[in-house]
Amino acid sequence: TRTPVNVTVTGAAGQIGYALLFRIASGHLLGADVPVKLRLLEIPQGVKAAEGTAMELDDCAFPLLKGIDIFDDPNKGFEGANIGLLVGARPRGPGMERGDLLAANGGIFKPQGEAIAAHAADDVKILVVGNPANTNALIAQSAAKGVPAERFTAMTRLDHNRALTQLAQKTGSSVTDIKRLTIWGNHSATQYPDIFHAEIAGKNAADVVDDEAWLADTFIPTVAKRGAAIIDARGASSAASAANAAIDHVYTWVNGTAEGDWTSMGVPSDGSYGVPEGLISSFPVTCKDGKYEIVQGLEINDFSRARIDASVKELSEERDAVRELGLI
Ligand code: NAX
């Protein structure tokens, strides 16, 4: 029998946590034959609610779930972690400036990065979901001395999945017909969903759509502002779809992308496509044997170039701000 994989989830008592934990425990994160142990990390005020969720997880009698432990200390929460899902973050409060938000999150992600370096398993893989996800990932990565930088990733899979459905609905196709869609840049309103390299049932997606006004004025803003539209409609931010995207991100990272396809992940830049080295930016990536690679050699047209550059500029500004705060 296989040794269980230790999965640490921060923000376990939050709304994404509630949607996420049951899918991890039922085998969707790693595979239907992979046993898991959950390590739930919360702040002290969140521990009781996490205990309630743990009771419900017990009540599901999931065959793959080999244990649940709850912590309010990151040094314990990340002990032996093979996978870390960093969901808990500090939301922007009323009157909070960007600098305050980055500082508050630095207070969370820096100690978590240190705890990962000190206590996680050698093969640890980290996905940051908590916003601002790319820069929180950068803070954790920079604090995790000795852990290879590429183990720290940020989630843009929700944006990727949103873009898949918008494109499928526009073209009357199925999401399974669409390949090679890309989200570039920051998980923010500046992100750029790119269909110029995408294919729909083997045909170039931009040719099938053949409507640059729809791209610029409908598709891109719909994908980029979808989070706000969900809040307007639901009265709460995306939770089940965010949890689903986190599951997809890790599943793909571990189990690989399909031949001829790729996915979108926020990963440390190697300088590809003019993105400054070290920035955690979304790229097209292929995954194989538990490793990812940035897709190389794509031609970037002027329409895409301007939008990628704008989002990367925002990421550079966030990096400068956390550098000034001494967080990286
Ligand atoms: P909730 O406020 O429901 O839950 C957050 C949980 O994190 C709370 O239970 C809180 O006690 C806990 N927490 C806070 N600080 C912590 C710490 N230092 N250690 C451990 N736990 C801590 O938020 P939820 O709706 O679950 O969203 C979580 C994060 O995901 C937010 O930052 C949100 O902005 C972000 N999102 C990111 C998305 C993405 O695509 N990257 C999309 C969805 C979501 O908006």
Side-chain angles (χ1 to χ4, degrees):
T1 53
R2 260 185 93 156
T3 318
V5 175
N6 290 321
V7 181
T8 298
V9 179
T10 79
Q15 52 152 5
I16 295 176
Y18 191 75
L20 183 58
L21 293 170
F22 296 85
R23 299 205 47 208
I24 299 172
S26 61
H28 291 95
L29 185 75
L30 298 166
D33 55 350
V34 185
V36 291
K37 279 190 173 169
L38 284 169
R39 304 180 73 79
L40 312 185
L41 181 63
E42 260 294 344
I43 51 176
Q45 307 89 287
V47 164
K48 187 157 184 243
E51 284 169 355
T53 304
M55 289 162 68
E56 284 202 74
L57 285 160
D58 281 342
D59 294 349
C60 295
F62 286 121
L64 293 170
L65 183 57
K66 301 303 176 190
I68 313 170
D69 290 294
I70 302 171
F71 306 95
D72 62 8
D73 172 359
N75 289 307
K76 299 204 175 92
F78 286 107
E79 210 172 289
N82 306 106
I83 306 279
L85 303 175
L86 278 49
V87 179
R90 177 72 192 275
R92 190 185 289 250
M96 223 173 164
E97 298 293 329
R98 187 175 67 169
D100 304 331
L101 181 74
L102 292 171
N105 279 295
I108 295 174
F109 287 87
K110 196 173 179 203
Q112 288 184 358
E114 289 164 354
I116 288 163
H119 303 288
D122 287 345
D123 67 349
V124 69
K125 288 180 164 65
I126 300 293
L127 167 62
V128 176
V129 174
N131 281 320
N134 302 53
T135 297
N136 287 342
L138 182 67
I139 294 169
Q141 180 257 305
S142 132
K145 302 277 176 270
V147 182
E150 74 266 13
R151 306 289 188 76
F152 285 81
T153 66
M155 190 166 92
T156 53
R157 185 63 172 264
L158 179 54
D159 310 299
H160 182 99
N161 288 345
R162 286 165 171 167
L164 277 178
T165 297
Q166 292 303 317
L167 186 57
Q169 289 177 352
K170 165 74 175 174
T171 56
S173 51
S174 154
V175 289
T176 54
D177 292 334
I178 304 176
K179 307 254 177 300
R180 303 186 176 203
L181 197 72
T182 307
I183 304 293
W184 297 91
N186 200 0
H187 168 68
S188 77
T190 67
Q191 66 173 268
Y192 171 50
D194 176 2
I195 71 163
F196 287 101
H197 303 284
E199 288 181 358
I200 305 176
K203 296 198 186 83
N204 179 271
D207 292 343
V208 175
V209 168
D210 194 26
D211 184 350
E212 200 166 294
W214 177 79
L215 259 194
D217 304 332
T218 303
F219 175 72
I220 295 171
T222 299
V223 173
K225 295 180 190 162
R226 187 72 165 180
I230 300 282
I231 292 173
D232 274 350
R234 214 173 78 84
S237 57
S238 320
S241 56
N244 177 69
I247 294 278
D248 283 353
H249 177 114
V250 172
Y251 187 90
T252 304
W253 188 357
V254 171
N255 293 299
T257 41
E259 193 59 46
D261 200 2
W262 63 60
T263 189
S264 304
M265 287 169 63
V267 303
S269 176
D270 57 0
S272 297
Y273 302 103
V275 181
E277 205 176 325
L279 281 185
I280 298 191
S281 185
S282 188
F283 286 99
V285 301
T286 53
C287 302
K288 200 181 174 200
D289 300 329
K291 296 200 164 68
Y292 62 79
E293 270 178 36
I294 297 173
V295 175
Q296 294 298 322
L298 299 177
E299 247 179 70
I300 305 296
N301 63 21
D302 292 345
F303 183 96
S304 297
R305 187 75 263 168
R307 286 166 173 83
I308 295 170
D309 288 351
S311 195
V312 167
K313 179 166 176 281
E314 182 184 51
L315 281 173
S316 298
E317 288 166 2
E318 288 182 16
R319 175 165 73 175
D320 292 347
V322 295
R323 205 174 257 157
E324 267 169 42
L325 291 164
L327 295 172
I328 61 169

